[in-house]
Amino acid sequence: MSLLDKFSAFARLRDELLQHGTLPFGVVTERILSPTEGIVQGRRTILAGTNNYLGLTFAPECIEAGRNALTEEGTGTTGSRMANGTYAAHAALEKDLAEFFGREYALVFTTGFLATMGMVSSLAGREDVLLIDADSHASIYDGCRLSGAEVIRFRHNDPADLEKRLRRLGDRSRNTLVVAEGLYSMLGDQSPLADIVAIKDEYGACLLLDEAHSMGVFGNGGRGLAEALDLEDRIDFVVGTFSKSLGSIGGFCVSNLPELELVRMTARSYIFTASPTPSVVASTRAALGLIRQRPELRDKLWDNSRRLYDGLTRAGFRLGPQPGPVVAVFVDDTTKAVSWWHQLLDEGIYVNLVIPPATPSTSCLLRCSMSAAHTTEQVDRIIGAFASLLSERRAAGTAV
Ligand code: PMP
């Protein structure tokens, strides 16, 4: 075995996938036309796999704010938050986030990945325990590795399993950080947050909640699942991203615990990477304002999401357990999933193809995500394109 032999399995997988045509991963959007449309393989395509939940990537307010910052403050900060990379606008965005979430403290990171990884690895050290949902995002897993803490997984969305594991820890439960997500991004299912909060309180543990996919989506103020369930006061740390509902890039953590301020001195992913560029900070601040000012975007997102979920259910697909902005279609075998993904793209519909081990089960997923910017007609076209996949199979006499 030489150093690079480990890549041969990936080369084989890539060649296998290429036999079907375009590689389904890293597809090039040749031209982006709007939050919901782009040119892909020379064809006008409906984008139904973007995480652009509120469709704010082309909001004139965000573009104008970004353009002004670019002109006035330049293309980049060329330094980390810890050194020369904190401008007044970074501090102002932190103030905006603290106000938005009604918390004392807020920290801005360069990406959501770096925020989650940095928080998990800073909050837990060698003497501590990380008790994480088994279906956690890669940034949580990587934070666990960096922390040096003991890592224990509880069964996905299973409060009884969480309780059992906290009980077994005895006094160490007080040195435990429980980590969960609001909305899980692969199946679109929601965390049983009220139960998780009750259990972590009972055992004196801390809770970090990743609202990456739930900010802007849940709650009258768009603050996420914790707001929708009236649990905000009982969640110790909330992390999130600017790259989904806010339509830019970056990440954050908010809390009422003063220790969050000290994370500026401990999180390597905060200290050793350049800060977000001025235009990103400015457009993010504008988008945060729009979440507040335009609650109708959330209503439209949910209308679209329910329409897609109901339409695909009626068409006969097996979906994730709950309707929401992530609608995951289960497909049992990889060849069928890849072929369907190509057929959808040929019909001008882009969705995410997810293959194990990136999926939480042994099935593949055709993962759709809805946006407030999708029109009803676009949602119906997505449903129609999926339905025709099944009618072709029926016509060919093949079981679904
Ligand atoms: N946490 C979760 C739950 C995510 O799904 C993601 C992105 N998919 C991230 C963190 C990282 O966010 P970003 O892409 O903004 O780095």
Side-chain angles (χ1 to χ4, degrees), residues 111-113 116 137 139 181 185 210 212-213 241 243-244:
T111 70
F113 195 106
T116 312
H137 187 257
S139 55
E181 297 173 29
S185 62
D210 187 340
H213 291 267
T241 176
S243 71
K244 305 185 194 307

Side-chain angles (χ1 to χ4, degrees), residues 301-315:
L301 170 66
W302 277 96
D303 285 350
N304 285 344
S305 303
R306 289 196 190 95
R307 192 176 184 90
L308 182 68
Y309 193 90
D310 292 348
L312 293 181
T313 304
R314 269 199 304 276

Side-chain angles (χ1 to χ4, degrees), residues 143-223:
C144 288
R145 284 192 197 163
L146 286 176
S147 71
E150 182 183 350
V151 180
I152 302 173
R153 298 184 303 168
F154 61 93
R155 270 201 299 273
H156 175 56
N157 274 355
D158 186 340
D161 196 44
L162 169 66
E163 204 266 345
K164 186 174 79 184
R165 289 168 195 282
L166 267 174
R167 188 166 7 101
R168 278 191 198 150
L169 285 170
D171 283 349
R172 294 184 75 209
S173 67
R174 297 192 170 274
N175 277 53
T176 298
L177 179 69
V178 176
V179 184
E181 297 173 29
L183 181 86
Y184 283 85
S185 62
M186 285 296 126
L187 300 186
D189 48 340
Q190 297 161 30
S191 153
L193 200 53
D195 292 339
I196 290 179
V197 164
I199 293 164
K200 75 93 190 173
D201 278 351
E202 187 187 337
Y203 287 89
C206 244
L207 175 64
L208 179 138
L209 180 68
D210 187 340
E211 295 258 36
H213 291 267
S214 28
M215 180 185 185
V217 168
F218 294 102
N220 289 334
R223 297 194 296 277

Side-chain angles (χ1 to χ4, degrees), residues 7-21 23:
F7 290 100
S8 52
F10 294 98
R12 275 197 302 279
L13 175 63
R14 186 191 52 193
D15 293 346
E16 230 175 271
L17 291 169
L18 273 172
Q19 283 174 10
H20 296 269
L23 198 63

Side-chain angles (χ1 to χ4, degrees), residues 94 97-98 100-109 111-112 114-120 123 140 177-183 193 197 200 206-216 218 222-228 231-242 246 251-257 260 263 288:
E94 285 173 344
L97 283 163
F100 180 84
F101 283 97
R103 303 265 182 167
E104 286 288 316
Y105 307 100
L107 226 63
V108 163
F109 292 77
T111 70
L114 295 178
T116 312
M117 186 179 73
M119 288 308 302
V120 170
L123 291 174
I140 296 171
L177 179 69
V178 176
V179 184
E181 297 173 29
L183 181 86
L193 200 53
V197 164
K200 75 93 190 173
C206 244
L207 175 64
L208 179 138
L209 180 68
D210 187 340
E211 295 258 36
H213 291 267
S214 28
M215 180 185 185
F218 294 102
R223 297 194 296 277
L225 191 64
E227 182 201 354
L231 293 168
E232 287 174 290
D233 292 349
R234 294 169 68 195
I235 290 160
D236 305 283
F237 297 93
V238 172
V239 288
T241 176
F242 306 152
L246 292 168
F252 68 90
C253 180
V254 294
S255 177
N256 284 328
L257 294 164
L260 182 60
V263 169
L288 203 56

Side-chain angles (χ1 to χ4, degrees), residues 184-385:
Y184 283 85
S185 62
M186 285 296 126
L187 300 186
D189 48 340
Q190 297 161 30
S191 153
L193 200 53
D195 292 339
I196 290 179
V197 164
I199 293 164
K200 75 93 190 173
D201 278 351
E202 187 187 337
Y203 287 89
C206 244
L207 175 64
L208 179 138
L209 180 68
D210 187 340
E211 295 258 36
H213 291 267
S214 28
M215 180 185 185
V217 168
F218 294 102
N220 289 334
R223 297 194 296 277
L225 191 64
E227 182 201 354
L229 300 178
D230 200 14
L231 293 168
E232 287 174 290
D233 292 349
R234 294 169 68 195
I235 290 160
D236 305 283
F237 297 93
V238 172
V239 288
T241 176
F242 306 152
S243 71
K244 305 185 194 307
S245 287
L246 292 168
S248 66
I249 185 159
F252 68 90
C253 180
V254 294
S255 177
N256 284 328
L257 294 164
E259 286 78 6
L260 182 60
E261 274 298 313
L262 299 171
V263 169
R264 295 186 199 274
M265 301 167 80
T266 62
R268 295 167 66 82
S269 66
Y270 178 89
I271 299 170
F272 295 106
T273 195
S275 64
T277 60
S279 56
V280 160
V281 173
S283 67
T284 304
R285 292 187 69 196
L288 203 56
L290 291 179
I291 289 192
R292 278 179 156 160
Q293 291 154 24
R294 300 192 54 197
E296 72 279 6
L297 292 177
R298 206 162 32 261
D299 297 339
K300 176 66 175 153
L301 170 66
W302 277 96
D303 285 350
N304 285 344
S305 303
R306 289 196 190 95
R307 192 176 184 90
L308 182 68
Y309 193 90
D310 292 348
L312 293 181
T313 304
R314 269 199 304 276
F317 287 97
R318 185 159 73 90
L319 306 180
Q322 277 171 298
V326 173
V327 179
V329 177
F330 285 96
V331 187
D332 286 334
D333 82 89
T334 309
T335 310
K336 196 204 298 179
V338 174
S339 149
W340 278 4
W341 181 85
H342 279 285
Q343 287 180 58
L344 289 170
L345 198 60
D346 290 345
E347 287 294 313
I349 311 288
Y350 171 82
V351 301
N352 306 120
L353 172 68
V354 197
I355 306 184
T359 57
S361 71
T362 51
S363 297
C364 294
L365 298 177
L366 294 172
R367 175 190 179 274
C368 310
S369 62
M370 281 287 92
S371 172
H374 282 121
T375 62
T376 304
E377 194 241 326
Q378 286 176 323
V379 180
D380 289 345
R381 271 195 54 203
I382 299 165
I383 297 168

